[in-house]
Amino acid sequence: ISGQSGSPVAIHYDSEDVLLGIHLGKSFIFKSPVTQKPEYFGLFRFTDRSLVKEIKKVVRNLHE
């Protein structure tokens, strides 16, 4: 949905909320590999060590 860029992408797993990544936006493709029709699909960045470091840096800067 428009305006949700930067929001968390999470699932509820084993009685806990788990952060999968950060919403980046959406993209349009002319031929979906699944439906073979044009469609939009969402993009997100998976949570990895690099992303965690970036988030921690921003949080530290907010507290300074």
Side-chain angles (χ1 to χ4, degrees):
I1 297 174
S2 181
Q4 291 190 355
S5 294
S7 64
V9 176
I11 60 169
H12 192 73
Y13 176 78
D14 199 23
S15 301
E16 293 186 28
D17 292 322
V18 179
L19 177 66
L20 296 178
I22 303 294
H23 184 272
L24 298 178
K26 63 182 178 178
S27 182
F28 178 78
I29 58 174
F30 288 105
K31 187 175 182 183
S32 165
V34 176
T35 65
Q36 302 301 310
K37 298 178 183 177
E39 66 181 274
Y40 284 98
F41 62 96
L43 301 173
F44 74 97
R45 178 175 173 188
F46 280 104
T47 303
D48 59 7
R49 287 184 177 145
S50 175
L51 180 58
V52 171
K53 285 181 184 179
E54 290 177 38
I55 292 171
K56 286 181 179 181
K57 183 178 178 181
V58 168
V59 170
R60 275 193 298 267
N61 289 338
L62 291 173
H63 291 287
E64 292 179 355

